[in-house]
Amino acid sequence: MMPDLFPALPEFFLVCAALVLLMVGVFRRGETADVVGVWATLALGMTALLVLAGDGERVTTFGGMFVTDRFAVFMKILVLTAAAMTLVMSLAWMRQERLGRFEFSVLILFAVLGMLMMISANDLMALYLGLELQSLSLYVVAASHRDSSRSTEAGLKYFVLGALASGLLLFGSSFVYGFTGQTGFDRIAEILKGVEGTSLGATVGVVFILAGLAFKVSAVPFHMWTPDVYEGAPTPVTAFFAVAPKMAALALLVRVLTGPFAAMIGQWQQVVVALAVGSMVLGAFAAINQTNIKRLMAYSSIGHVGYVLIGLAVGTATGVRGILVYLALYLAMNLGVFAVILSMRHKGRLAEEITDLSGLSKTHPLVAAALAALMFSMAGIPPLAGFFGKFYVFIAAVEAQMYVLAVIGVLSSVVGAFYYLRIVKIMYFDEPVEVLDPPPGRSITLVLTASSVVVLFFFLYPPPLLLQAEAAAASLFPG
Amino acid sequence: MDVAVVFLPLCGAFLAGFFGRRLGDTGAQLVTCGGVGLAAVLSVFIFAEVALGGGEHTVPLLTWIQSGTLDVAWALKFDTLTAVMLLVVTGVSFMVHVYAIGYMHHDPSIPRFMSYLSLFTFFMLMLVTADNLVQLFFGWEGVGLASYLLIGFWYDRPSANAAAIKAFVVNRVGDFGFALGIFATFVLFDSVHFDTIFKAAAAHAEDHMTVFGMEGHALTIICLLLFIGAMGKSAQLGLHTWLPDAMEGPTPVSALIHAATMVTAGVFMVARMSPLFEHSETALMVVTVVGASTAFFAATIGCVQNDIKRVIAYSTCSQLGYMFFAIGVSAYQAAIFHLMTHAFFKALLFLSAGSVIHAMSGEQDMRRMGGIAGRIRVTYAMMWVGSLALAGIPFFAGYYSKDIILEAAFGAPSGVGRFAFWMGIAAAFMTAFYSWRLLFMTFHGAPRADEKVMAHVHESPAVMLVPLVLLAVGALFSGFIGYETFVGESREAFWGEAIVVQAAHDAIAAAHHVPVWVKLAPLVVGIVGIALAWLFYIRLPVLPGVVASMFNGLHRFLLNKWYFDELYDFLFVRPAFALGRSLWKGGDEAVIDGIGPDGVASASRELARRFGRLQSGYVYHYAFAMIVGVAAFVTWFMLFHLG
C-alpha cells in the first residue's frame, strides 16, 4: 500500500530542494556559494509555507512512524525561522571571510531536514534516522573551516562524543524494544500504561534514551562538548548550533517523554529535574569566568536549556506551553546576540573576546543599545521578552508545586544576570580599546533590528504567541 | 513690606549662593548686605507700626499641611514680641554683614559666606514671625542648619568640622524634646496654631496626659518638652557643650549666631509660649533653676579660659542663663529686654574681639596678647563700652536690663527666685571679673606676642569699625531708651497680648518695690569684680598663678569646663562609637556582607573556577563524564525506585 505522502510534503520539498541545489552547486560554473545560499534560504521559506499550509490536525503516516500535529507545526516553524535567519547572516559573514562554499548551505538544508523529521518522529526508528541525519550534517558543518585546527578539532570532538551519545540512545531504544516489543510511540504508550509498578528494563531504556537526547540539547552532565564546539566552530555555525538543533532536540525530548513514556513520568521526572538543576546552575556559574563571547554563549545556552527542562519536568500542558514560549523568545534573543557577534571584527580581523566590546556605546551606540536590551532580556529582566519566557516556565513549576525547582531557577538566573550585565557594563563603562568595524551586511543589521524589536516590545502584545503555544501544547495531551 | 522683610535676605542668599561666581565677591556682598539692610530699614517701620502703634496683624501666605485636623499654614505673625526680635535680628545681622566685608576679605569663598549669613537671617526671621509651632520649628531647624554650615565654614579644618557636627548633634537632643513638645501640644489642643492654643490654654489648665506610661499635668509636660528644645538652642546647662566649640566658626558668625540671635531663639520661644508656661508652676521653677545654674556655672568657667572668643562664649552662655531665670520668675519682658541689650553689647564684644584677632594676625590666645591698647584705640574703646555694658555699670545698656532681672528674681513670689537672685549676683561678680581680665590681658601689660605679630598690629578698616561704633551706640543707649517701655509702667500697653503674665506671678511689678540694697548689690559686686581683676592682672600679675596653684583642683575643674565634655564622651560618644563600630565591623561587614553579597560573590567565583577547570578539553574526559552521568542515573533508579 502506498503511504499517504501529503503530511510529509514539506520534508519532501526540502529534500528535493537540497538535492537540486547540490546539483546546481556542483555543475554550475564559477562562484556558486551565494546563489545556492540565496536559493537555500528561499527553500527554507517555502518549506515553512508548506508547513503552515497543513490544517494542523494530528495525522500519522508511514505506518505511524511520522506524525504532524500543532506541536510539530509550531516547532518546525521555529526551526525553519532559526535556520533561515542564521543562513542569511552566514552568507554575509562567509563572503567577508572568503569561506564561501555552496556545500555549507546544502548541508544546512539536510540538517534542517533531519530536524523536521525529529520533530515529526513517532517511532524509535524514525527518531534515530532524523537524529543521525541532522547530526552527520552538523559534524561536517562544525569542521567546515577545514584550514582551522580549532574548527576541525571542534568537528572531531563533536563527532566522537555524538557517536557515543547515539550509542547510548540506540542502547536505550533496544532496551525499550526488548521490554515492550514495539518501536512505535503509540504502541509503546499503550503497553506501558498497562504495566503495574515499574520495570527495570523500561526504566534503564528510558534513562539511556534520555542521556542520548540530553547530549543533543547539551544538558548537564552531557554538555561538555558545547563550549569547545561553540568556540571552535566558525561563528555562523555556532549561531546555527545555538538555536535550530536545540529546538529540534528539545521538541523530540518533549514528544518522547510526554508520548510513549508518559506513563513513566514518576521515573523520568527525577532525571529531568536533575538535568534541569545541573544545567541551570552550571550555566550560571561556569559562564562567570569566560572571556570568549562564543564560549560564554555556550554556557548561556546550557543555562537556558536548564530553564526549558523545568517546563518538561513539570510534564503538563502548562509546562509544555512554557517551553514553547520560552523557545520562541530564546530564538529571537539568540539571533540578535549572534548578529552582533557575527559583526565583531577589528579592521577585518575577527574579534571574539568580550573585552573587544568595551566602549561599544561610544563607537556604535545603536548596536550597543540593542545588545544591552538583549542582555537584559537574557538575564530575564522585565518587561523584556526573556522575562516572560522564564515567567511561564516558573509559573508552570509553581502550579505543579515544584517550588524547589522554581526557586533554584530564580536563584540561578540571578547569578546568570551577573555575566549578562557584565557585558552591558563593559560596553557602557569601559573605554574603547579598538573601534569595531561596521556590521558586514544589511542582512545582519536587519536580523539585529528585528530581534531587538521583538525583545523590547513583546510585552505589549503577547497573545498570538501564547495562544499558538497553548494550542500546540494541548495537541500533545489529548483528552 | 511684611513679606519683604522676611524674604529679602532669602533673595540675597539665593543670588549670592547660586550666582556667586557670576556676581563676584563684591556683587555677592552687595546683594546680601542690600537685602539685609533693606530688611533692617523695613523692620524699623514695622516696629513703629506694630509695637508702638499697636497694629498687631498676621499675613497669611500659603497652606502648608492639611491632614485631618492638622492644619498648618505659612503665615507671618507680627506682634510686639516679633517686632522687637525683627529689629534686633535685622539690625545686628546688617552690622555683621557689613563687618564681614572687612573681616573676610582674605577668604577665597566670600559669596558662600555671605550667602550663608543671609540664609541664616532668613531662617531667623521665619522663626520669629512664625504663627504656629510647625513654622517655628522650620525656622528653628533652618537656623540650626545655617549654624552648622557656618561653624564648619572652614571645612578644611578638622576641628571646625567636629565643632559643626557637635553643634548639630547636641541641638538634635534639644530638638527631639521640642518636636515631642509640638506633638504633645497637638494632642492636647488639636492645633499647633499659636492664637488657638493660647486661647484654649486656660481651659486645659487642669488637664492630664499620659507620657511613657506616666500620667502628669499636661501643660507641665508640654512646657518641659519645649524647654528642652530651648535648652539645646540656647546652650543651657547640660546642652551647652556645643556653644564654646562653635567658636571655630569665623568671628562674625560667633557675633551674629552664637551671641546675638540664634542662641536667643530659645528665650524667644519660651517667651512666645508664655500663655502656656504661666499655667505650670513646675515648668517655671525648672526654667528658673536651670537658667540660674547656667548663669553661675558658665561664669565660673569664663573666669579661667584663655581663648578670647571662648571667654565671650561662656559669657553668652551665662547671660542666656539670666534671660531664662527671668522667664522662670515670669519676667518675660525683662528677659526680652535683656535679650535686646545683650544682642547689642555681646555682638559688639565679639566683633571687637574679631578686630583684635584681625590685628593680631589670627591669634586668639590672650596669653599671647597684651600691650596693644595704644595701637588699636578704637577697638580698645569699643571693648570697654561692651564690657561696661556687660558688667552692668550704670547707664550702660546692661545695667538696666540685668538689674531688672535680678530685682524681679528677688521680688518674685516663688522660692526659687531667691536662689536665682544669689546665683545671679555671684555671676554678676564673676562677669565683671572675667570681662576686665579679658580687657587687661588683651590690651595691657607687656606685649607677649612675637615681634613679627606685634609689628603687624594695625587698626581695622572703616568697614569693620563703623558697625562697631553703631553697635556701641546700641550698647550705650538701648537700655536707657527701652527701660520705660519694656519693663516700666507702660509695659502692658507696649506688649499687648504678645506676652501673658498672670497677675499673681507679676515679678516685674514686685521688682520695682525691692529694698535698696538689692538694687545696689549688682553694681557693688560688679565694681568689686573689676577691682579684683585690676589687682590680679595689673597690680600684682603673679597673683593669678599663686591662686591657681593654691586651688589647683578647683582651677583644673574650671579649666576643664566642669568635665562636661569628658563626661558626655564617656557616657554617650564612646558607647555610640563602640556600638556603631561593632555593628559596622561585626554586623554589617562580617555577617551581612561576609555571608551575604561578598560571601555569595566569592563563592560564585570559586564555583566558576572549579567549573572552568572541569572543562579540560580532552574528549575522553567528556565521554567519561557522560558515562558517569548515565551510570549515576541508572544506579539511582535501581537503588531507590525498584523493589
Side-chain angles (χ1 to χ4, degrees):
Chain A
M1 189 189 78
M2 180 71 184
D4 183 7
L5 296 183
F6 187 73
L9 188 60
E11 284 79 3
F12 277 107
F13 171 77
L14 195 55
V15 75
C16 295
L19 290 171
V20 168
L21 287 174
L22 181 61
M23 294 303 128
V24 172
V26 172
F27 292 109
R28 193 156 179 250
R29 283 165 191 281
E31 190 56 61
T32 50
D34 280 350
V35 183
V36 173
V38 171
W39 280 103
T41 314
L42 291 176
L44 288 172
M46 187 64 205
T47 314
L49 286 180
L50 290 173
V51 169
L52 287 171
D55 58 5
E57 287 309 303
R58 182 183 154 88
V59 185
T60 57
T61 183
F62 296 112
M65 290 174 86
F66 186 94
V67 65
T68 70
D69 49 15
R70 283 181 179 281
F71 177 76
V73 170
F74 189 97
M75 289 310 300
K76 281 178 184 174
I77 293 297
L78 287 192
V79 166
L80 288 166
T81 315
M85 293 288 179
T86 38
L87 194 55
V88 165
M89 293 195 290
S90 309
L91 292 176
W93 191 87
M94 295 283 192
R95 209 177 302 131
Q96 194 156 22
E97 286 295 299
R98 304 186 192 290
L99 283 175
R101 256 184 228 98
F102 75 91
E103 291 93 334
F104 177 76
S105 307
V106 175
L107 282 169
I108 293 285
L109 288 192
F110 279 118
V112 171
L113 179 64
M115 294 173 202
L116 298 187
M117 287 170 63
M118 284 158 73
I119 294 168
S120 276
N122 200 31
D123 187 289
L124 289 174
M125 299 301 283
L127 180 159
Y128 185 70
L129 274 179
L131 196 66
E132 280 306 288
L133 178 55
Q134 178 227 21
S135 299
L136 283 171
S137 313
L138 292 183
Y139 300 146
V140 182
V141 169
S144 66
H145 191 189
R146 60 188 178 203
D147 298 330
S148 152
S149 64
R150 285 202 310 169
S151 176
T152 45
E153 182 191 331
L156 195 63
K157 265 185 191 164
Y158 189 31
F159 174 67
V160 172
L161 295 171
L164 178 61
S166 295
L168 294 175
L169 181 72
L170 276 180
F171 189 63
S173 302
S174 67
F175 259 80
V176 172
Y177 176 69
F179 179 76
T180 60
Q182 297 291 341
T183 56
F185 287 175
D186 302 339
R187 295 286 301 140
I188 294 175
E190 276 170 34
I191 289 168
L192 287 178
K193 213 173 280 173
V195 173
E196 294 288 323
T198 52
S199 86
L200 183 59
T203 306
V204 173
V206 169
V207 170
F208 272 89
I209 291 177
L210 255 176
L213 292 176
F215 172 85
K216 296 292 172 195
V217 301
S218 62
V220 174
F222 309 101
H223 67 285
M224 302 197 73
W225 59 276
T226 322
D228 291 8
V229 172
Y230 273 43
E231 189 186 354
T235 312
V237 176
T238 312
F240 185 69
F241 273 30
V243 193
K246 287 255 158 78
M247 307 260 164
L250 278 166
L252 186 56
L253 199 54
V254 169
R255 190 184 288 285
V256 167
L257 291 182
T258 60
F261 303 113
M264 292 176 67
I265 185 163
Q267 277 79 59
W268 59 256
Q269 192 171 42
Q270 280 150 8
V271 180
V272 176
V273 167
L275 292 174
V277 170
S279 306
M280 290 189 295
V281 171
L282 186 119
F285 283 99
I288 289 176
N289 277 348
Q290 300 308 321
T291 55
N292 180 296
I293 193 154
K294 284 159 75 179
R295 229 178 149 75
L296 182 102
M297 288 309 289
Y299 285 108
S300 159
S301 82
I302 293 172
H304 283 291
V305 162
Y307 300 120
V308 172
L309 290 178
I310 289 183
L312 182 56
V314 173
T316 60
T318 333
V320 175
R321 182 192 67 167
I323 294 179
L324 297 178
V325 173
Y326 198 108
L327 287 178
L329 298 175
Y330 174 72
L331 166 73
M333 294 189 288
N334 237 28
L335 286 175
V337 174
F338 273 101
V340 175
I341 298 176
L342 281 168
S343 45
M344 278 172 66
R345 53 184 78 223
H346 295 307
K347 303 193 180 74
R349 194 168 40 76
L350 285 176
E352 294 185 350
E353 295 301 304
I354 295 170
T355 47
D356 291 325
L357 290 170
S358 47
L360 194 67
S361 63
K362 299 193 183 78
T363 53
H364 299 282
L366 282 176
V367 176
L371 188 57
L374 291 165
M375 285 299 149
F376 280 119
S377 172
M378 286 264 192
I381 288 164
L384 301 172
F387 165 74
F388 291 95
K390 288 200 174 81
F391 175 75
Y392 286 112
V393 171
F394 291 156
I395 211 79
V398 170
E399 275 176 17
Q401 300 188 327
M402 301 173 87
Y403 301 118
V404 177
L405 197 56
V407 168
I408 293 175
V410 171
L411 290 183
S412 59
S413 73
V414 170
V415 178
F418 171 81
Y419 59 85
Y420 293 126
L421 299 188
R422 187 160 72 102
I423 293 180
V424 176
K425 177 241 162 198
I426 286 171
M427 288 194 300
Y428 278 87
F429 299 108
D430 289 3
E431 287 305 311
V433 186
E434 279 181 280
V435 179
L436 289 181
D437 299 348
R442 197 176 304 150
S443 53
I444 290 183
T445 319
L446 222 59
V447 172
L448 179 58
T449 314
S451 82
S452 313
V453 168
V454 171
V455 163
L456 280 173
F457 300 112
F458 169 75
F459 75 99
L460 291 179
Y461 194 56
L465 179 63
L466 291 187
L467 292 176
Q468 288 298 328
E470 194 153 352
S475 72
L476 286 183
F477 296 89
Chain B
M1 187 165 87
D2 298 332
V3 178
V5 75
V6 176
F7 286 94
L8 275 172
L10 179 65
C11 295
F14 178 80
L15 288 175
F18 288 100
F19 303 101
R21 211 163 291 180
R22 188 94 40 90
L23 289 169
D25 291 352
T26 320
Q29 286 161 348
L30 267 180
V31 292
T32 49
C33 289
V36 176
L38 222 63
V41 173
L42 291 175
S43 59
V44 173
F45 286 111
I46 292 177
F47 183 78
E49 179 200 340
V50 174
L52 304 180
E56 295 188 2
H57 60 284
T58 301
V59 184
L61 296 178
L62 288 170
T63 303
W64 183 11
I65 304 170
Q66 208 159 25
S67 169
T69 54
L70 180 65
D71 192 349
V72 181
W74 293 104
L76 305 179
K77 178 187 175 72
F78 292 96
D79 60 4
T80 305
L81 187 57
T82 302
V84 171
M85 292 301 290
L86 277 184
L87 209 56
V88 171
V89 171
T90 55
V92 176
S93 176
F94 181 55
M95 294 302 136
V96 170
H97 269 77
V98 175
Y99 179 89
I101 295 177
Y103 190 81
M104 299 296 285
H105 80 277
H106 289 308
D107 202 88
S109 38
I110 290 172
R112 183 162 65 92
F113 184 75
M114 299 309 284
S115 164
Y116 287 170
L117 275 188
S118 278
L119 185 70
F120 165 77
T121 310
F122 162 71
F123 280 125
M124 193 68 206
L125 294 174
M126 209 69 194
L127 193 161
V128 298
T129 57
D131 97 319
N132 59 62
L133 278 169
V134 179
Q135 190 182 337
L136 185 109
F137 192 66
F138 169 78
W140 188 270
E141 292 300 307
V143 292
L145 167 74
S147 157
Y148 168 81
L149 291 173
L150 284 166
I151 295 171
F153 179 74
W154 286 316
Y155 54 78
D156 47 355
R157 295 185 188 169
S159 60
N161 285 328
I165 292 170
K166 187 172 178 183
F168 212 74
V169 171
V170 174
N171 266 296
R172 215 89 331 245
V173 177
D175 293 350
F176 185 61
F178 189 21
L180 287 179
I182 297 176
F183 301 154
T185 308
F186 183 68
V187 169
L188 187 66
F189 293 102
D190 213 18
S191 169
V192 290
H193 189 246
F194 285 145
D195 295 343
T196 319
I197 310 175
F198 297 160
K199 281 200 188 76
H204 288 285
E206 300 306 320
D207 285 11
H208 282 65
M209 63 163 48
T210 309
V211 179
F212 304 129
M214 289 178 295
E215 197 178 326
H217 182 234
L219 284 176
T220 300
I221 290 168
I222 290 173
C223 289
L224 287 178
L225 286 171
L226 293 177
F227 181 58
I228 291 174
M231 281 173 69
K233 199 56 94 196
S234 296
Q236 291 300 289
L237 191 59
L239 296 179
H240 67 281
T241 52
W242 64 273
L243 185 58
D245 288 12
M247 298 302 130
E248 286 291 343
T251 306
V253 173
S254 313
L256 176 61
I257 300 185
H258 306 120
T261 55
M262 184 189 84
V263 289
T264 61
V267 178
F268 164 79
M269 188 263 278
V270 177
R272 170 64 84 207
M273 303 305 283
S274 61
L276 300 194
F277 277 81
E278 278 302 291
H279 287 289
S280 172
E281 302 285 346
T282 318
L284 285 176
M285 221 160 74
V286 171
V287 174
T288 313
V289 172
V290 170
S293 309
T294 309
F296 175 78
F297 148 85
T300 58
I301 299 177
C303 290
V304 298
Q305 294 300 310
N306 291 316
D307 183 310
I308 185 167
K309 284 178 72 181
R310 276 177 186 258
V311 173
I312 309 180
Y314 277 106
S315 159
T316 305
C317 202
S318 167
Q319 297 301 311
L320 290 166
Y322 274 98
M323 298 177 208
F324 272 110
F325 76 70
I327 284 176
V329 296
S330 294
Y332 302 97
Q333 299 94 328
I336 298 296
F337 185 36
H338 193 54
L339 188 161
M340 182 185 75
T341 58
H342 173 256
F344 287 117
F345 63 70
K346 191 49 67 65
L348 174 64
L349 278 173
F350 259 119
L351 294 186
S352 302
S355 184
V356 169
I357 296 166
H358 195 73
M360 298 294 291
S361 312
E363 181 59 70
Q364 298 197 12
D365 193 331
M366 296 191 297
R367 285 169 299 187
R368 285 197 286 276
M369 293 181 181
I372 54 172
R375 312 277 288 270
I376 45 174
R377 287 179 177 282
V378 182
T379 306
Y380 179 54
M382 293 303 126
M383 205 64 140
W384 264 92
V385 174
S387 298
L388 287 168
L390 173 62
I393 301 302
F395 315 118
F396 288 90
Y399 165 72
Y400 295 97
S401 56
K402 191 194 272 183
D403 279 17
I404 187 71
I405 288 178
L406 288 169
E407 286 158 20
F410 185 84
S414 61
V416 287
R418 288 297 162 90
F419 167 73
F421 172 74
W422 288 113
M423 282 295 190
I425 290 291
F429 165 70
M430 287 183 282
T431 305
F433 174 76
Y434 66 65
S435 297
W436 267 265
R437 173 174 175 266
L438 184 153
L439 267 175
F440 293 146
M441 280 182 81
T442 307
F443 292 101
H444 294 272
R448 291 181 295 275
D450 59 36
E451 286 174 13
K452 208 169 130 203
V453 172
M454 286 308 292
H456 191 63
V457 171
H458 61 286
E459 186 56 277
S460 300
V463 73
M464 287 166 70
L465 292 181
V466 171
L468 286 184
V469 173
L470 289 174
L471 285 170
V473 171
L476 276 169
F477 301 114
S478 64
F480 172 70
I481 296 171
Y483 186 75
E484 192 53 31
T485 23
F486 275 67
V487 292
E489 292 305 320
S490 55
R491 64 180 185 278
E492 277 173 20
F494 176 71
W495 291 104
E497 290 182 3
I499 284 176
V500 176
V501 182
Q502 288 183 5
H505 289 173
D506 198 346
I508 292 183
H512 295 297
H513 308 290
V514 291
V516 178
W517 68 268
V518 172
K519 285 185 189 285
L520 285 178
L523 177 62
V524 172
V525 296
I527 290 171
V528 172
I530 297 171
L532 195 66
W534 177 79
L535 184 67
F536 266 45
Y537 294 96
I538 301 287
R539 190 77 186 83
L540 290 169
V542 290
L543 215 51
V546 175
V547 174
S549 53
M550 266 172 68
F551 302 100
N552 190 20
L554 182 68
H555 183 251
R556 274 231 303 273
F557 182 64
L558 294 179
L559 200 60
N560 286 307
K561 301 158 275 184
W562 292 35
Y563 293 105
F564 260 99
D565 281 330
E566 286 73 12
L567 186 68
Y568 284 176
D569 189 51
F570 176 75
L571 281 182
F572 303 114
V573 179
R574 255 183 286 169
F577 268 105
L579 181 67
R581 189 174 300 277
S582 70
L583 286 180
W584 166 39
K585 289 285 187 195
D588 194 47
E589 286 198 346
V591 178
I592 295 179
D593 280 358
I595 298 176
D598 288 355
V600 170
S602 65
S604 299
R605 288 196 169 277
E606 179 57 28
L607 210 57
R609 232 185 329 274
R610 292 198 185 175
F611 280 144
R613 225 176 292 145
L614 285 180
Q615 205 70 32
S616 60
Y618 294 116
V619 172
Y620 63 89
H621 282 169
Y622 298 178
F624 181 70
M626 288 168 67
I627 301 294
V628 167
V630 176
F633 284 133
V634 171
T635 314
W636 186 26
F637 278 102
M638 303 236 284
L639 287 178
F640 298 106
H641 289 273
L642 298 168

